[in-house]
Amino acid sequence: MSDKDQTNEKWSRRNFIQTAAMTAAALAIPGCSRKEKPVLTTLVGDFDPLRSYPYRGWEDFYRKIWTWDKVVRSTHSANCTGSCSWKVYVRNGVMVREEQAADYPRISQDLPDYNPRGCQKGGCFVEYVYSPQRLRYPLIRTGERGEGKWRRATWDEALTLVAGKLLDNVYNHGPDTNTFFSVIPAMSPVSFCAGSRLAHYIGGVFLSFYDWYCDLPPGEPLTWGVQTEACECADWFNSKYIVLWGSNISQTRIPDAHFAYEARYNGAKIVCISPDYNSSATHADLYFRINPGTDGILALGVAKLLIDQNLIDVPYVKEQTDLPLLVLSGTKRFLRQSDLQAKGKEDVFCLWDTRQQRAVPAPGSMGSDQKTIQLNGVDPALTGGFTVTLADGKTVEVTTVFEMLKKELAQYTLDKVGARTGLPAHEIELFARELGTRKPAMIIHGAGTNHWFHNDLINRSFMLLVALTGNVGKNGGGFNHYVGQERVWPEHGFFQLAYPEGRKKQRFQNTTLWSYVHSTSKDPHLYNGKPIDWYIQESVKNGWMPLWPKGGRKPRAFVVWRANYLNQAKGNEILESSLWRDLDLIVDINYRMDTTALYSDVVLPAASYYEKVDINTTDCHSYIHPFGKALEPLFESKTDWDIFHALAEKMAELAAKKGLKPFHDDAFDWNRDFTQLAHDWTGKGTILTDEQAANFILANAPETKDMTYQQLQEKPRRFVATDPEAWNSDIEDGIAYTPFKHQLEKKRPWRTLTGRQQFYIDHPWYLELGEALPTFKEPVPEKYPLYWNTPHGRWSIHSTWRDHRAMLRLQRGGPIVYMHPEDARKRGLQDNDWVRIYNNIGHCVCRLQILPGEKPGRVTMYHGWEKYLGFQQGGWQSLTYIKIKPTQLIGKYGHVNFRLNYWGPTGNNRDIKVEIEKAKV
Ligand code: SF4
């Protein structure tokens, strides 16, 4: 026995009892009374905490919890838009924990920094990696779809099945019957490109996601000619007036909400506009408990007040917007140069110059030779009516867009707006006055307002406010939409990797349209007396929207990765019983068993976020950082890159074995030699690994010039430049990124038909449907009493983390519908009751939570719950259906053309209404 052990032995149970008794006695003696300082001398000896004692091994065990063998930088790609850099700690071949990396370089000492970024979901991803939901092996369905009966397969068997079916479809049914769905390239572009490259080389149809999820704000392509452009979140700090409109940043922008709240210390006021008193409203200086679906009328009422009270920035409006452009009073079409001159252009527009008293061409129109919007001595009239002589000698009356806007806004009186929104008139006036005088001012825009059917009109009305007040293109100002992580900063490199032969050689498809047409979905409403099917046929016939497969054929194979199509699909039960039933093969590539995986035929296990190499960017900040392999993919899983590589190899192998001749794809005059597929897919053997793919993107984009994947493992890097073809502002040292400085400071034309922020759309359908200008339209009429609100929540990112043990413990552990106490009382409902939520589409059964912060007349269920996670019946999408807005089907109008995830009908879901009753369970 060692000396140490002998010493330890002295510390026996008897010693302990003796010492404890002495201590108690010492505390009991008069010297230890409360009045006198305790005498501790009696404790010296056995109570010395530094002396040795037995069983110290446990201390070492405890210390080892905080030891590790290696640390790898990674992140999460669940479409949270967070893009937070994390360190993953590995010990003995096990990922043990993660920690926020907190080393984003600071932009400027004048701005709060991005450190540390993260949320509670990211902080428990390690547990997900090892959870029972984790997919370990390839699976092939043995029961009915969704029944949960599977058998384990080898990779070779599963890939052979999938490869054979895809090839069979190409040769026997056409390449456009193979359909591919994945989402948000920005969050992991290498994984995205793995599948998009395969779709590209085999002629498959690639589906959109941003419009389908209704995250695309259609007002931006219409008004600004961009997909979405927003300032990075550090720029919120520069604002003096922040309007949280349909955006609950405390819940949905967890890593960035602090910038808005810190802005208050920099002199900002915060306005929160939301039907429910939510966790962001608690930070607001002014809170509007608005009636659901009335945001548009509030915006237009405020626009009227801004104009009536001379609170608009007139020089800005004249130079940067289409409001001074001339419109023919008779036809309501823009006055074009072609109207005035025999050889004039259709895409050059006109202003009334008050100095020359005549119509002159507006600089910077799409067809204009001048690539500037600088007015160069022209002083356009904003108001009034004028007479012009046309090329054929006739004289006609013209007026300005601004004059027409004033007439449109005249109906939105304070009384009317107050009554419809449920807001006090004096507070609406206060809002207008502050918005017009506190500079810079910004709207932070969210899904709360974007998910409505008339989202384009709502967007345009909001954008009008920040344009009238001259806030767009300025730090701290603008309309900033953060829903979905839509754009890859190193875009040029990404597109080359995603579609190597060019986007013109890729079949793209708007998913809302595809899902509607290929299912039994039916929108019962009429638009201007016509059903939506009429508008769809016209749009497809005119070549405005593509519809694959062509000629009435049905899609046959559906490959989904990095997404949960069926969980997110509006009317998913309608789709399940029609579109889904018609598919011969559904393949899901996933790291966890979700609803889409459960309803698939073949499930291929993918590496989790901590087991692969990729890169990650977001609109919320101007940095890039990596995914890293903390471990090789667990169990039999593979990275997305390796899975699609293996699938390409298997297809090439089968094509050779079957002696398939090259398939001539007439649509692109492309001879597709499938025996060479793997060779093509790997860039002729130059991009074999995911790290090579990441480096390919980095090397081919100005934003990431001279960066390598390995450097990103050291720390996040800020982008060094922006590609002027793709972006509308530069990256500037020491300044937070905000868009449209090129237009404001360099006078570059806007990317629209008129070259200006375009609030007037003179397309025939917009004129017919009364939407040429921003206007207010009521939500789609539905006969039930309660709005069905399904927002993004705090405890999951869509369906990811919905089934995480730790997250379920922070709620009631299952799907809940929130209801105002008054609505519950009227229906005799108690908190925690099982309730049946129903409408004419379907129903679901779940628990009720009574919430005083909810708006009467509306109920809320945070979205993403998988159907199998605690519903007694149905699911949150059982009550929804696809509604397509006719105006979102147009194309070939200057800047408004179909483009994947840029322009196409959105899959809105806020206009749905329901009733609730106590359920019999
Ligand atoms: S889940 Fe998203 S927001 Fe949360 S830590 Fe990860 S990247 Fe950040």
Side-chain angles (χ1 to χ4, degrees):
M1 192 180 279
S2 70
D3 288 346
K4 192 177 163 200
D5 290 336
Q6 284 172 8
T7 315
N8 285 347
E9 203 190 22
K10 287 181 198 156
W11 179 254
S12 63
R13 182 178 149 76
R14 195 159 151 257
N15 290 126
F16 176 80
I17 292 169
Q18 277 176 353
T19 310
M22 285 164 63
T23 308
L27 290 171
I29 59 174
C32 286
S33 73
R34 282 187 182 192
K35 286 183 187 157
E36 292 179 42
K37 211 174 168 186
V39 180
L40 294 175
T41 47
T42 51
L43 298 182
V44 173
D46 285 347
F47 254 142
D48 176 1
L50 298 178
R51 64 176 289 282
S52 295
Y53 56 89
Y55 314 130
R56 293 199 75 154
W58 69 270
E59 289 181 347
D60 201 35
F61 179 76
Y62 179 75
R63 280 189 207 103
K64 278 187 178 154
I65 290 177
W66 306 103
T67 62
W68 54 87
D69 306 330
K70 66 170 177 175
V71 185
V72 176
R73 186 182 294 272
S74 197
T75 182
H76 314 111
S77 57
N79 190 13
C80 54
T81 322
S83 187
C84 312
S85 197
W86 287 75
K87 291 176 180 171
V88 184
Y89 292 80
V90 179
R91 192 175 68 241
N92 293 337
V94 177
M95 295 176 233
V96 288
R97 66 190 171 91
E98 56 266 281
E99 185 178 271
Q100 289 154 288
D103 53 1
Y104 286 86
R106 194 164 190 164
I107 294 176
S108 152
Q109 292 304 314
D110 297 332
L111 292 173
D113 65 13
Y114 283 98
N115 298 308
R117 289 179 76 69
C119 76
Q120 84 285 35
K121 298 166 292 287
C124 62
F125 187 75
V126 154
E127 190 177 317
Y128 228 19
V129 168
Y130 296 105
S131 69
Q133 300 93 320
R134 180 69 195 259
L135 288 162
R136 298 165 181 230
Y137 321 106
L139 298 171
I140 293 177
R141 176 171 65 85
T142 55
E144 292 299 308
R145 282 182 185 148
E147 206 184 352
K149 291 187 179 164
W150 304 94
R151 71 177 170 83
R152 183 173 168 178
T154 63
W155 270 101
D156 191 61
E157 182 189 11
L159 289 173
T160 304
L161 193 159
V162 175
K165 182 70 193 159
L166 294 177
L167 278 174
D168 181 51
N169 284 346
V170 171
Y171 282 87
N172 295 321
H173 306 290
D176 53 359
T177 57
N178 289 327
T179 318
F180 292 76
F181 183 69
S182 190
V183 299
I184 330 290
M187 65 187 187
S188 44
V190 171
S191 279
F192 181 96
C193 291
S196 66
R197 281 173 85 81
L198 191 85
H200 187 66
Y201 281 117
I202 72 169
V205 175
F206 204 87
L207 295 181
S208 67
F209 53 87
Y210 191 41
D211 37 22
W212 169 233
Y213 286 169
C214 210
D215 293 348
L216 169 77
E220 291 208 33
L222 282 169
T223 312
W224 291 339
V226 299
Q227 181 200 45
T228 303
E229 294 226 5
C231 65
E232 65 175 303
C233 297
D235 198 38
W236 299 355
F237 188 76
N238 291 319
S239 186
K240 292 290 180 274
Y241 203 61
I242 298 175
V243 185
L244 304 177
W245 211 329
S247 180
N248 183 0
I249 56 172
S250 293
Q251 292 208 20
T252 59
R253 299 272 75 83
I254 290 175
D256 292 304
H258 69 96
F259 287 112
Y261 306 143
E262 286 156 356
R264 299 177 78 199
Y265 294 97
N266 200 31
K269 275 193 166 188
I270 293 184
V271 182
C272 177
I273 305 175
S274 176
D276 57 326
Y277 189 69
N278 59 41
S279 44
S280 302
T282 59
H283 298 271
D285 298 280
L286 178 62
Y287 167 59
F288 279 158
R289 196 188 196 197
I290 193 167
N291 288 332
T294 65
D295 306 275
I297 195 170
L298 174 63
L300 295 171
V302 171
K304 177 177 182 329
L305 288 170
L306 289 171
I307 294 171
D308 291 350
Q309 297 178 9
N310 293 324
L311 293 172
I312 68 169
D313 184 338
V314 172
Y316 180 99
V317 167
K318 286 184 174 183
E319 180 189 82
Q320 296 285 326
T321 75
D322 67 342
L323 300 183
L325 293 185
L326 297 174
V327 175
L328 292 153
S329 303
T331 62
K332 302 281 187 277
R333 293 196 74 228
F334 277 121
L335 178 69
R336 288 158 159 86
Q337 194 187 42
S338 52
D339 296 320
L340 298 172
Q341 301 167 15
K343 288 195 178 158
K345 291 183 177 171
E346 266 278 307
D347 49 3
V348 171
F349 301 87
C350 303
L351 305 162
W352 186 265
D353 184 6
T354 55
R355 296 199 176 118
Q356 301 178 60
Q357 284 298 313
R358 67 182 184 92
V360 297
S365 306
M366 194 173 260
S368 176
D369 296 331
Q370 302 146 288
K371 298 300 171 206
T372 176
I373 50 173
Q374 194 127 35
L375 287 167
N376 286 329
V378 171
D379 182 23
L382 267 185
T383 54
F386 313 96
T387 305
V388 294
T389 306
L390 301 181
D392 61 7
K394 283 190 196 139
T395 56
V396 291
E397 298 299 311
V398 294
T399 187
T400 62
V401 175
F402 187 75
E403 189 70 47
M404 294 173 73
L405 177 71
K406 283 206 310 181
K407 289 201 176 83
E408 169 65 31
L409 295 180
Q411 61 184 301
Y412 304 116
T413 60
L414 205 46
D415 287 348
K416 186 172 167 182
V417 173
R420 185 64 192 90
T421 57
L423 301 174
H426 70 278
E427 289 190 0
I428 298 172
E429 277 187 305
L430 172 71
F431 176 40
R433 198 164 53 247
E434 291 191 335
L435 185 66
T437 50
R438 295 183 71 93
K439 305 276 172 93
M442 68 162 66
I443 295 170
I444 293 178
H445 185 246
T449 40
N450 203 59
H451 282 190
W452 290 88
F453 182 74
H454 291 298
N455 51 10
D456 45 0
L457 288 173
I458 297 169
N459 295 163
R460 291 164 71 199
S461 307
F462 291 7
M463 293 160 84
L464 182 64
L465 297 179
V466 281
L468 285 172
T469 50
N471 275 301
V472 186
K474 294 177 182 166
N475 279 103
F479 169 87
N480 298 296
H481 173 83
Y482 306 94
V483 192
Q485 201 172 12
E486 68 288 343
R487 210 166 164 189
V488 191
W489 277 78
E491 192 176 278
H492 197 66
F494 159 69
F495 279 130
Q496 283 188 55
L497 187 68
Y499 313 108
E501 301 294 322
R503 281 178 281 169
K504 289 204 172 120
K505 290 197 157 191
Q506 174 62 50
R507 291 183 168 93
F508 288 121
Q509 174 65 53
N510 167 271
T511 304
T512 317
L513 190 58
W514 183 85
S515 302
Y516 183 87
V517 170
H518 294 304
S519 69
T520 52
S521 297
K522 193 80 198 145
D523 177 357
H525 302 96
L526 296 178
Y527 303 98
N528 222 7
K530 287 178 268 206
I532 192 60
D533 293 30
W534 181 87
Y535 290 96
I536 291 174
Q537 280 164 20
E538 284 296 300
S539 174
V540 173
K541 193 173 77 192
N542 294 337
W544 296 346
M545 287 290 149
L547 182 61
W548 302 102
K550 286 192 187 293
R553 285 169 302 132
K554 289 275 180 197
R556 304 185 75 94
F558 189 59
V559 181
V560 53
W561 72 110
R562 303 163 68 257
N564 192 354
Y565 173 88
L566 212 48
N567 178 290
Q568 295 290 321
K570 285 84 196 159
N572 63 5
E573 290 182 359
I574 300 167
L575 300 181
E576 212 183 292
S577 64
S578 48
L579 169 106
W580 215 248
R581 192 196 52 210
D582 292 340
L583 291 164
D584 296 341
L585 175 73
I586 302 160
V587 183
D588 190 82
I589 299 169
N590 213 324
Y591 68 85
R592 71 184 184 96
M593 182 61 89
D594 63 14
T595 300
T596 309
L598 187 63
Y599 283 77
S600 297
D601 303 320
V602 179
V603 174
L604 301 177
S608 81
Y609 309 149
Y610 293 168
E611 300 152 34
K612 65 179 186 178
V613 164
D614 211 322
I615 48 180
N616 184 263
T617 67
T618 174
D619 289 1
C620 287
H621 63 61
S622 49
Y623 300 84
I624 183 164
H625 56 90
F627 290 82
K629 260 188 197 171
L631 290 177
E632 286 301 314
L634 292 180
F635 314 109
E636 286 190 15
S637 67
K638 294 177 190 285
T639 66
D640 295 310
W641 192 260
D642 287 345
I643 292 173
F644 281 102
H645 186 186
L647 186 54
E649 282 181 332
K650 183 56 76 180
M651 288 180 77
E653 180 193 318
L654 291 186
K657 212 183 271 177
K658 292 180 181 183
L660 294 176
K661 297 264 174 316
F663 177 87
H664 188 261
D665 192 337
D666 297 345
F668 307 111
D669 193 16
W670 186 341
N671 237 13
R672 298 183 188 273
D673 183 353
F674 288 99
T675 63
Q676 295 302 303
L677 183 59
H679 185 63
D680 292 339
W681 186 91
T682 57
K684 304 192 181 5
T686 58
I687 317 173
L688 293 165
T689 67
D690 35 20
E691 185 166 338
Q692 286 171 332
N695 279 326
F696 179 92
I697 295 175
L698 297 172
N700 285 287
E703 290 78 6
T704 48
K705 192 168 181 292
D706 298 331
M707 291 185 200
T708 64
Y709 172 79
Q710 281 307 326
Q711 286 171 350
L712 298 181
Q713 265 294 333
E714 286 157 30
K715 65 170 17 189
R717 295 271 302 266
R718 195 165 191 235
F719 297 106
V720 293
T722 49
D723 178 353
E725 287 304 307
W727 297 90
N728 292 297
S729 286
D730 299 329
I731 282 276
E732 300 167 279
D733 279 346
I735 296 176
Y737 178 85
T738 199
F740 308 122
K741 286 191 176 178
H742 289 168
Q743 284 75 9
L744 188 61
E745 294 172 6
K746 299 182 181 174
K747 310 301 175 199
R748 174 180 170 171
W750 291 77
R751 297 167 194 258
T752 60
L753 178 60
T754 59
R756 291 154 168 267
Q757 299 182 54
Q758 190 169 332
F759 292 98
Y760 193 70
I761 306 291
D762 69 342
H763 185 281
W765 284 15
Y766 276 70
L767 290 165
E768 262 172 57
L769 290 154
E771 298 187 14
L773 278 170
T775 188
F776 173 66
K777 287 196 169 177
E778 290 287 347
V780 177
E782 301 282 351
K783 70 175 182 180
Y784 294 88
L786 302 163
Y787 277 110
W788 178 234
N789 182 44
T790 52
H792 299 147
R794 185 196 290 271
W795 310 117
S796 75
I797 303 297
H798 309 290
S799 57
T800 310
W801 285 282
R802 263 285 170 237
D803 49 355
H804 193 292
R805 189 181 57 97
M807 293 301 105
L808 288 170
R809 281 183 174 182
L810 295 171
Q811 320 154 59
R812 292 194 180 180
I816 317 161
V817 60
Y818 297 92
M819 184 180 242
H820 188 269
E822 191 53 27
D823 284 334
R825 193 189 57 74
K826 278 190 215 154
R827 291 165 176 79
L829 300 173
Q830 306 282 328
D831 191 78
N832 217 34
D833 274 351
W834 283 103
V835 291
R836 179 172 173 267
I837 311 165
Y838 64 95
N839 63 12
N840 53 328
I841 306 298
H843 74 276
C844 67
V845 174
C846 65
R847 297 266 195 190
L848 176 79
Q849 181 167 342
I850 294 177
L851 186 70
E854 182 53 279
K855 178 90 177 169
R858 191 184 85 163
V859 290
T860 292
M861 176 179 289
Y862 287 105
H863 91 269
W865 290 101
E866 307 283 12
K867 279 176 91 169
Y868 50 81
L869 271 180
F871 288 101
Q872 290 276 342
Q873 292 164 29
W876 66 286
Q877 295 279 23
S878 304
L879 303 140
T880 60
Y881 66 101
I882 302 173
K883 293 185 293 304
I884 291 178
K885 189 166 176 191
T887 47
Q888 294 179 12
L889 286 163
I890 71 155
K892 296 187 181 171
Y893 173 84
H895 59 291
V896 188
N897 294 295
F898 168 73
R899 205 171 122 194
L900 195 79
N901 300 314
Y902 169 99
W903 178 249
T906 57
N908 51 80
N909 58 1
R910 279 285 187 282
D911 306 55
I912 298 291
K913 293 182 101 176
V914 299
E915 178 55 289
I916 296 193
E917 63 184 10
K918 196 160 173 144
K920 299 180 189 80
V921 289

